[in-house]
Amino acid sequence: MATTSGVSAEDEAYDYTEAFPALPMIEKANTTPVSGQWSNKFTVKTSKCTQVFTVPLEERRFKDDFGESSFGDEGKQAEICKDIMAKTGVTIEMSLSKDQTLTVVVTGKEEQVKKARREVMTKLQTQASGSIRIPREHHRFILGAKGKKLQDLELTTATKITIPRTDEPSDAIKIYGTKEGIDKAMHEIQIISDIQSKLAYERLPVQKVYHPFVCGPSNSTVRQLMDETGAKINVPPPSVLSDEIVVSGEKEGVMKCKATIMAIYEEKKRKCQTVSVEVRKSQHKYVIGPRGNSLQEILAATGVSVEVPPLDDPSETITLRGEQDKLGPALTMVYSKANSVVFAVVHAADWLHKYIIGKKGATVKNITSNFPKVHIEFTEGEDKIQVEGPPEEVDQAVKALEDFVKDLQSRMDFAEIEIDQRFHKHIIGKGGSNISKIKDETGVAIRIPSDSENSNTIRIEGEPQGVKKAKKELLEMASRMENEKTRDIIIEQRFHRMLIGARGEGIKTVRDKFNQVQITFPDQGRKSDVVTLRGPKNDVDKCYQHLQKQTQDLIASNYQAQVHIFKDFHKNVIGKGGATIRKIREETDTRIDLPTEASDSDVIVITGKKPNVEAAKKKIEAIQKELADIKELSVEVPHKLHNSIIGAKGRLIRSIMDECGGVIIRFPAEGSTSDKVTIRGPVDDVDKAKKQLLELASQIQNTSNVEEIRAKPEYHKFLIGRGGSKIRKVRENTGARIIFPSGDDADQELITIIGTKESVAEAKTEILGLIKDLDNIVEGEVNVDPKYHKHFVARRGEVLRQIGDDFGGVTVSSSPIRGECTFDSRYIIGQKGRDVRKLMDEYNVNISIPPQDQQSDLIKEDMVHIEVKVDHRIHPRIIGQKGRGVRKIQEDFKVDLRFPRGNDNPDIIVISGAEDDVYDCKDHLLNIEEEFLQDVLDNEYIQSLTQAPSRKSEEPRVNDRGFAVKNAPWDSAPDTSSTAEFPSFPGASGGNAVAPNSNKAWGPSRRY
């Protein structure tokens, strides 16, 4: 064992008990649940129930359904049960006993079980019928409210019950169902009828004026009768003019109530007299009292009924009805109640009401706090306040209110000014800013009418000084607005941001210069060029001129031109590391925008001052001419033929451009009468395009004919031939023009022929002949071991083409072997793609796993892959930050890239995918290498010059054995016989465990 400085490793080690001290012991809390009243507090009743019922053999509808003939097949009653289960959502089970009794078990929600039971018994059990005679007046009690009682009875008994309609003379109720169900239903119906037979119902003719005597004070007499007899007494309310009282209940109680009520009625009818008095209508409500309490109080004290006319009746006559000796005291009480409250009016201007009321009624509450029985009423639009209450309190409240009103009038004022309604929103300001400012400064209230009021009057209320100041400010604002004007200036939307500037600095300068002018730009979503100026006339005109000059400067310095440069030459325009385009930008002081690599556009946009833009355009075009000998010429074609030459969706002109190497053919703008058509591209292609364009124009002008034929899309490549040889031959023979659909066309079978009548007919005949030959072509397949495929497809399929040429034009194609399988891709990819790369290396295939956002489990594999040598120093550039670069390349070319690992050649990148995609990606990677390699070499050279000399020697590191512990549990064998270290489980039986016969410590042996 190694030691240092004479100290052993054992001495240096920490003691286990010191390094890892034991935690303090804590007594376990008693977790025994306490039983008691809370144990069942949250008992939840199950929402499901089960019903079991039987169908005897003699009542079964399908007696042979469980016979041997139906073994292995569903019987009729099983189908019925399935249908019922689907309708009600229950579970139905059936079994047959020895005596052929059918037992049915229905499980589900209670309501649904009842419905299912009724359906089962109706359809599986033979149905009987019965009828019971019930008095017609009892039928409504069997039906129940909205027929609910009858429905429940049908569900409970599993029967169908029919009650005769009101227009039928019969009183027989018919019941359909099983015998058991019919008996049960009859029993329940009879019980309902028997209960109703014991009840009585009486309408007693009692005049309305005597109802108060029958009811007694606060209905005390009626309540006492109902408590004694158990009958129900229905007395119509005062608002219902009815001369009858209805009594219902058991016959004995009803009869007793009837006798008592009629006795009271007859007695009062005989003894009562009436007295009429005139009381002001406004005082009637005090005679009645809250909820009629005063009337009941008079009735209880004197036994006299007071009849007050309804509120909508203009009569002021109150009638007292009672015994002669009681009318006097009752009359005294009526006058007392009527005069217990008096009215008074305090005159105060309507606009002062809100100040008298105060915020949330605080002021008026403070005034009337000493008069709790006084009621104060404010009426909107009236210059008065109504006060009512006890006479003594009303007088004091009126005096307090009048004093407060006088004080308000001495220190409050108001003014009304007329300002045109169109200026109101500007006076209010954005979010009420202007009007709020005036209110805060003057302390007044300002009311501006809403648009719906269609009023010009603005009212100001508050202290006289504040009202005067606010009025002056509002009139000044109105005067300024009358002198204001609104003017629109047209500025292209692309300049709006430039005028506004970063963080609004640009427009802030303009607004500071013309601080009375409001400048409003349109929302970005509107795509409008109109900028609105509003303010004083002179300021608006000056601001207009200032913005117009700024706009002209922007137009001059933001002139735009578009130059068409073939996509392949864009990298040359950019130059190595962007050097070329940076130089052009600096020399011409222009902004040059190129389309992205993924874009199909070849247009480069140049922005700046017009002379500078033209200079930059010439420099960029010169690069293209130098590289490809580009030529541009103009052809005169009558403008009336332009639309016909372009064709539907540009098909005709696109076919010429594609056929002539991608030349650019530009027609005059729509609506122009110019005949000039510009052709631009490589010299040979331009001449070829000019010839075809003139031929097409001539054909269209000389009574051109158009014919359309159809051919399967897979035939098109054979009809065209290699390099267009076959279709060119047809054109030369016939003089007609044949146009095949492009990849973007919706109809991929349509072939268009254009030319003279004779040439179109000849071309059509030849093409149909070729199509017929293609229909007779035989296809065959040869199975070749996949490991030899790469030999045939190498060098872009040169071997396959040679075989085809050697055997008379036979077409030999070898598609990559592809397979698809479905797996959970998480288990295929492995950690950081390790497993899927191992599979591809081992079996020489490419495996394509869909991205996560597609949520697909489909995995595809094919066998086309090539190796390309790219300097390893360029690899980081290809991969890009966080792999963005390599992901974009893989998405653009639909390939998979594998970079070298471990002992692989560091410069080799493996590209896998479809053959054409693989070779296109290879060219792209080589272009990247060519573009960036020189930059990498230059950077390495510069770094070598600035790098500090490396250290030649380093001090050897001391071998550190780390953190050591002694006397740990793993240093000795465990004592399995110890109950402390190996306690037994609660409730376990048996003796102690036997320790193993081993002196070996836990874990691997330690060596020093």
Side-chain angles (χ1 to χ4, degrees):
M1 183 170 65
T3 60
T4 56
S5 304
V7 181
S8 68
E10 185 68 27
D11 294 335
E12 286 183 346
Y14 293 91
D15 188 86
Y16 179 82
T17 55
E18 293 178 0
F20 303 100
L23 293 173
M25 296 298 290
I26 298 174
E27 291 185 6
K28 292 184 180 179
N30 184 15
T31 58
T32 307
V34 180
S35 61
Q37 58 179 338
W38 296 102
S39 58
N40 295 323
K41 182 176 178 66
F42 299 107
T43 303
V44 179
K45 186 179 179 181
T46 179
S47 62
K48 288 192 174 184
C49 72
T50 301
Q51 283 197 16
V52 182
F53 56 94
T54 58
V55 182
L57 174 64
E58 59 274 12
E59 293 182 14
R60 278 174 47 200
R61 179 169 288 181
F62 306 101
K63 296 182 181 179
D64 298 328
D65 219 27
F66 280 93
E68 292 181 2
S69 59
S70 63
F71 181 79
D73 191 14
E74 289 189 349
K76 182 68 175 175
Q77 59 189 16
E79 291 177 9
I80 290 170
C81 288
K82 277 189 177 181
D83 185 48
I84 295 169
M85 285 192 287
K87 284 181 185 176
T88 59
V90 301
T91 303
I92 301 175
E93 298 177 9
M94 295 185 297
S95 61
L96 209 60
S97 60
K98 289 182 179 180
D99 61 356
Q100 299 300 302
T101 297
L102 180 65
T103 303
V104 183
V105 181
V106 185
T107 305
K109 292 184 179 179
E110 188 173 354
E111 285 297 318
Q112 301 302 324
V113 166
K114 288 180 181 179
K115 291 180 182 178
R117 181 175 182 271
R118 180 186 168 194
E119 289 280 330
V120 169
M121 295 189 72
T122 302
K123 295 181 178 179
L124 298 188
Q125 195 167 0
T126 54
Q127 301 296 294
S129 64
S131 65
I132 181 171
R133 304 184 72 85
I134 299 294
R136 292 178 63 82
E137 57 270 20
H138 296 173
H139 288 189
R140 63 191 179 96
F141 299 103
I142 296 168
L143 278 168
K146 297 181 181 179
K148 183 71 172 59
K149 196 165 187 178
L150 180 64
Q151 290 174 11
D152 292 343
L153 186 58
E154 286 180 332
L155 285 175
T156 307
T157 60
T159 58
K160 173 67 178 172
I161 301 171
T162 305
I163 296 177
R165 294 195 301 270
T166 52
D167 56 351
E168 293 180 7
S170 173
D171 61 357
I173 297 176
K174 295 182 179 178
I175 308 168
Y176 303 92
T178 62
K179 187 176 182 303
E180 180 187 351
I182 291 171
D183 292 342
K184 189 175 180 181
M186 283 185 175
H187 175 71
E188 293 294 331
I189 291 170
Q190 190 62 56
I191 289 173
I192 294 170
S193 178
D194 291 345
I195 291 170
Q196 297 305 318
S197 298
K198 295 178 182 178
L199 300 178
Y201 184 86
E202 290 285 345
R203 293 178 181 271
L204 308 180
V206 178
Q207 291 181 28
K208 178 77 177 176
V209 293
Y210 295 103
H211 287 185
F213 302 109
V214 172
C215 293
S218 302
N219 293 322
S220 57
T221 306
V222 167
R223 279 202 299 272
Q224 184 180 352
L225 269 175
M226 288 194 292
D227 292 341
E228 289 176 357
T229 62
K232 185 177 179 182
I233 303 171
N234 184 12
V235 179
S239 58
V240 178
L241 300 176
S242 175
D243 290 335
E244 67 177 11
I245 295 175
V246 177
V247 185
S248 59
E250 292 188 1
K251 286 183 179 179
E252 185 180 347
V254 168
M255 291 302 107
K256 186 177 179 181
C257 282
K258 179 180 177 181
T260 305
I261 291 170
M262 293 308 293
I264 294 170
Y265 171 53
E266 293 297 335
E267 182 187 359
K268 293 297 179 183
K269 190 176 178 182
R270 187 176 66 255
K271 292 182 178 180
C272 283
Q273 296 182 6
T274 60
V275 172
S276 296
V277 294
E278 296 294 320
V279 177
R280 278 187 308 170
K281 189 72 178 177
S282 59
Q283 304 298 105
H284 285 194
K285 59 183 176 182
Y286 304 112
V287 175
I288 296 170
R291 299 183 181 179
N293 287 342
S294 297
L295 296 177
Q296 298 300 324
E297 186 181 335
I298 295 169
L299 180 62
T302 63
V304 173
S305 169
V306 180
E307 299 165 14
V308 182
L311 293 175
D312 56 354
D313 189 339
S315 174
E316 294 185 341
T317 303
I318 293 178
T319 303
L320 284 73
R321 189 182 303 274
E323 296 179 11
Q324 180 69 36
D325 57 334
K326 304 288 179 68
L327 288 175
L331 187 59
T332 303
M333 289 186 72
V334 167
Y335 279 123
S336 173
K337 297 288 183 186
N339 296 321
S340 62
V341 175
V342 295
F343 287 89
V345 173
V346 177
H347 293 280
D350 177 47
W351 67 275
L352 289 174
H353 288 185
K354 59 176 175 279
Y355 300 104
I356 297 169
I357 294 169
K359 191 174 183 180
K360 296 184 179 178
T363 306
V364 75
K365 281 180 183 176
N366 187 41
I367 294 169
T368 60
S369 59
N370 296 325
F371 319 116
K373 295 182 180 179
V374 170
H375 173 69
I376 299 175
E377 186 175 329
F378 296 85
T379 306
E380 189 176 353
E382 294 185 5
D383 295 334
K384 62 181 182 179
I385 304 169
Q386 291 184 346
V387 185
E388 63 178 274
E392 61 281 359
E393 290 191 9
V394 166
D395 293 339
Q396 296 177 47
V398 166
K399 187 175 182 307
L401 282 171
E402 286 176 343
D403 293 342
F404 190 78
V405 169
K406 285 178 184 177
D407 178 57
L408 279 176
Q409 288 173 339
S410 65
R411 57 186 176 82
M412 297 290 287
D413 196 4
F414 77 94
E416 290 183 346
I417 56 176
E418 298 292 323
I419 295 178
D420 197 313
Q421 193 175 17
R422 61 196 170 96
F423 299 141
H424 288 185
K425 63 180 179 180
H426 302 292
I427 289 172
I428 294 169
K430 189 174 183 180
S433 57
N434 294 343
I435 200 71
S436 296
K437 184 181 177 183
I438 296 172
K439 286 179 179 178
D440 294 340
E441 290 177 354
T442 60
V444 298
I446 302 174
R447 184 185 178 279
I448 299 176
S450 63
D451 293 341
S452 60
E453 292 180 50
N454 198 23
S455 171
N456 295 333
T457 304
I458 296 177
R459 186 180 177 91
I460 311 167
E461 298 171 357
E463 294 183 358
Q465 292 289 342
V467 170
K468 187 176 179 181
K469 185 178 177 183
K471 179 180 178 180
K472 181 182 175 183
E473 288 192 24
L474 289 174
L475 289 173
E476 285 176 356
M477 286 178 69
S479 177
R480 286 199 304 270
M481 288 174 197
E482 285 177 354
N483 294 321
E484 279 187 351
K485 70 179 288 188
T486 300
R487 190 171 183 182
D488 293 337
I489 180 171
I490 305 299
I491 302 173
E492 286 185 56
Q493 194 175 40
R494 64 191 176 107
F495 296 140
H496 290 184
R497 279 192 178 181
M498 299 178 189
L499 286 173
I500 294 168
R503 298 181 182 178
E505 293 294 332
I507 201 65
K508 185 176 182 296
T509 305
V510 178
R511 283 176 174 152
D512 290 343
K513 189 174 182 179
F514 305 99
N515 55 10
Q516 298 295 318
V517 179
Q518 183 180 354
I519 305 170
T520 307
F521 286 87
D523 295 335
Q524 288 184 353
R526 287 177 56 193
K527 296 185 179 179
S528 171
D529 297 334
V530 179
V531 178
T532 303
L533 309 178
R534 181 181 177 82
K537 292 177 182 176
N538 293 334
D539 290 344
V540 166
D541 291 337
K542 288 177 183 177
C543 184
Y544 180 90
Q545 291 170 3
H546 178 81
L547 288 175
Q548 200 169 42
K549 185 177 181 302
Q550 275 193 315
T551 305
Q552 288 169 356
D553 293 342
L554 286 172
I555 291 171
S557 60
N558 285 275
Y559 173 78
Q560 277 192 347
Q562 295 182 348
V563 55
H564 291 265
I565 300 297
F566 288 102
K567 194 85 171 181
D568 292 341
F569 300 143
H570 283 197
K571 64 183 178 183
N572 303 96
V573 173
I574 296 169
K576 188 172 294 183
T580 305
I581 198 167
R582 189 162 53 247
K583 184 180 178 185
I584 296 172
R585 285 171 177 161
E586 291 170 356
E587 289 178 354
T588 60
D589 191 23
T590 56
R591 188 174 81 247
I592 303 172
D593 298 317
L594 284 82
T596 61
E597 287 185 16
S599 171
D600 294 332
S601 174
D602 61 356
V603 176
I604 297 176
V605 180
I606 310 169
T607 307
K609 293 183 178 178
K610 188 173 182 179
N612 296 345
V613 169
E614 295 298 334
K617 182 178 178 182
K618 288 178 181 177
K619 287 179 180 287
I620 292 172
E621 287 178 340
I623 294 171
Q624 181 173 245
K625 286 181 181 179
E626 182 183 339
L627 292 168
D629 192 16
I630 298 300
K631 176 181 178 182
E632 184 175 308
L633 57 82
S634 299
V635 180
E636 295 292 327
V637 178
H639 67 272
K640 63 181 181 180
L641 301 178
H642 289 183
N643 286 338
S644 302
I645 292 171
I646 293 170
K649 297 183 181 179
R651 286 185 66 198
L652 298 182
I653 200 65
R654 193 167 61 241
S655 69
I656 295 176
M657 289 193 289
D658 292 344
E659 191 174 331
C660 299
V663 296
I664 298 165
I665 302 176
R666 291 198 293 272
F667 286 82
E670 190 175 353
S672 172
T673 57
S674 173
D675 296 337
K676 186 179 177 182
V677 179
T678 306
I679 307 173
R680 191 166 185 277
V683 176
D684 295 338
D685 292 336
V686 167
D687 294 336
K688 186 178 176 183
K690 176 183 176 183
K691 181 182 176 183
Q692 290 199 22
L693 186 64
L694 293 174
E695 285 178 0
L696 181 58
S698 176
Q699 288 174 357
I700 292 173
Q701 199 166 14
N702 298 326
T703 63
S704 175
N705 285 270
V706 178
E707 190 78 47
E708 292 179 346
I709 59 176
R710 292 185 173 277
K712 296 177 182 177
E714 55 266 29
Y715 286 177
H716 291 188
K717 62 181 179 180
F718 300 107
L719 294 173
I720 295 168
R722 183 169 296 160
S725 58
K726 287 188 180 180
I727 205 66
R728 194 182 306 114
K729 185 177 178 183
V730 175
R731 286 174 181 165
E732 291 170 355
N733 292 342
T734 63
R737 179 166 194 80
I738 297 105
I739 300 167
F740 286 85
S742 67
D744 298 330
D745 290 338
D747 193 345
Q748 290 291 307
E749 294 187 352
L750 190 66
I751 301 172
T752 306
I753 308 171
I754 300 174
T756 62
K757 188 175 182 180
E758 296 76 13
S759 63
V760 167
E762 290 178 21
K764 181 179 179 181
T765 303
E766 286 200 31
I767 293 173
L768 289 175
L770 291 172
I771 293 171
K772 187 175 179 181
D773 293 341
L774 288 170
D775 289 334
N776 294 327
I777 285 177
V778 177
E779 288 188 0
E781 291 184 357
V782 179
N783 292 322
V784 178
D785 195 310
K787 66 184 178 180
Y788 300 121
H789 281 203
K790 61 184 178 181
H791 168 70
F792 292 102
V793 299
R795 299 185 300 281
R796 294 183 180 266
E798 183 180 335
V799 175
L800 293 179
R801 284 197 296 274
Q802 185 63 40
I803 293 171
D805 293 340
D806 291 347
F807 291 93
V810 173
T811 301
V812 184
S813 62
S814 173
S815 300
I817 295 178
R818 287 182 172 85
E820 295 182 356
C821 52
T822 303
F823 287 103
D824 189 332
S825 57
R826 293 174 297 176
Y827 306 114
I828 301 296
I829 297 171
Q831 188 176 10
K832 296 184 179 179
R834 180 186 61 200
D835 295 346
V836 76
R837 280 197 301 274
K838 183 180 177 183
L839 285 171
M840 291 193 283
D841 293 341
E842 225 174 272
Y843 295 100
N844 197 25
V845 296
N846 175 51
I847 299 175
S848 173
I849 295 175
Q852 279 188 341
D853 56 3
Q854 292 185 11
Q855 297 182 353
S856 171
D857 293 332
L858 193 65
I859 298 174
K860 300 179 181 178
E861 53 182 316
D862 58 55
M863 294 188 62
V864 176
H865 59 274
I866 63 169
E867 296 179 350
V868 57
K869 187 174 181 181
V870 177
D871 193 290
H872 66 276
R873 290 168 292 185
I874 305 298
H875 291 190
R877 297 245 186 189
I878 296 171
I879 294 169
Q881 188 177 11
K882 296 183 179 180
R884 291 195 188 100
V886 73
R887 280 199 299 274
K888 187 175 187 308
I889 293 172
Q890 291 182 147
E891 290 170 4
D892 290 347
F893 293 95
K894 297 181 177 60
V895 297
D896 179 65
L897 298 183
R898 276 184 280 161
F899 289 85
R901 291 178 175 275
N903 296 326
D904 295 345
N905 187 330
D907 295 334
I908 298 298
I909 298 176
V910 180
I911 312 171
S912 305
E915 182 182 0
D916 292 339
D917 296 336
V918 165
Y919 282 101
D920 289 343
C921 183
K922 176 184 176 182
D923 295 340
H924 180 70
L925 294 180
L926 293 175
N927 287 337
I928 294 174
E929 181 187 37
E930 180 184 353
E931 187 174 344
F932 293 110
L933 186 57
Q934 188 58 45
D935 292 344
V936 172
L937 294 173
D938 292 345
N939 289 337
E940 287 182 353
Y941 176 69
I942 292 168
Q943 288 175 2
S944 68
L945 295 176
T946 58
Q947 191 174 12
S950 59
R951 292 182 298 171
K952 293 183 179 179
S953 62
E954 292 183 354
E955 294 181 4
R957 295 180 65 185
V958 178
N959 183 23
D960 185 7
R961 62 187 298 275
F963 181 79
V965 178
K966 62 184 178 181
N967 299 328
W970 50 81
D971 288 337
S972 59
D975 183 6
T976 55
S977 61
S978 169
T979 56
E981 294 185 19
F982 294 90
S984 59
F985 289 107
S989 59
N992 294 333
V994 180
N997 185 15
S998 174
N999 295 320
K1000 193 171 183 179
W1002 287 359
S1005 58
R1006 301 177 65 182
R1007 295 183 178 86
Y1008 299 92

